[in-house]
């Protein structure tokens, strides 16, 4: 069973300020949270409330990375709230040093 790194989707918001014309071009990246409801369906939330977080079976807060298995990845993609670009393979850098075999080398 493979392990995947899941990054919830993001959206670029702007402008950062209406008063200064310089800030009209500045965009801020905001994370979108993913909630699994008790029925097994997923939905995207921009501003989740405490009640929505509490009632979730699983919750992926936007702006963070999560390790998920194949079944969770398939369910998230099938729900349509994310696609395959939100996942990457998890690779461990442990043991990849320059010191030969053992815990510090490859």
């Amino acid at each position: 069973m493979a392990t995947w790194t899941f990054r919830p989707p993001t959206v670029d918001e702007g402008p950062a300020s209406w008063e200064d014309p310089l800030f009209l071009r500045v965009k801020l990246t905001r994370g979108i949270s993913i909630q699994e409801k008790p029925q097994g369906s997923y939905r995207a939330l921009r501003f989740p409330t405490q009640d929505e977080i509490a009632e979730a079976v699983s919750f992926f807060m936007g702006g963070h990375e999560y390790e998920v298995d194949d079944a969770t990845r398939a369910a998230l993609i099938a729900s349509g709230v994310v696609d395959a670009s939100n996942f990457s393979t998890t690779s461990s850098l442990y043991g990849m040093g320059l010191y030969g075999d053992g815990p510090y080398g490859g």
Side-chain angles (χ1 to χ4, degrees):
M1 179 163 298
T3 303
W4 299 88
T5 300
F6 171 55
R7 291 175 193 87
T10 60
V11 64
D12 290 334
E13 291 181 341
S17 170
W18 290 104
E19 286 80 35
D20 190 346
L22 180 64
F23 286 107
L24 292 175
R25 291 187 258 171
V26 175
K27 303 288 185 204
L28 302 173
T29 302
R30 304 286 188 192
I32 299 174
S33 299
I34 306 296
Q35 174 196 28
E36 181 183 5
K37 298 187 66 88
Q39 301 88 356
S41 62
Y42 291 89
R43 71 178 187 154
L45 301 168
R46 289 289 307 274
F47 306 104
T49 64
Q50 290 178 346
D51 293 335
E52 289 170 330
I53 294 171
E55 74 181 12
V57 173
S58 64
F59 194 82
F60 303 102
M61 184 67 71
H64 299 276
E65 292 182 353
Y66 299 91
E67 288 189 10
V68 297
D69 59 3
D70 288 330
T72 305
R73 178 182 184 264
L76 283 163
I77 293 173
S79 70
V81 295
V82 298
D83 57 13
S85 67
N86 295 98
F87 298 91
S88 62
T89 56
T90 301
S91 62
S92 174
L93 297 178
Y94 182 76
M96 301 303 279
L98 302 173
Y99 301 106
D101 293 331
Y104 300 109

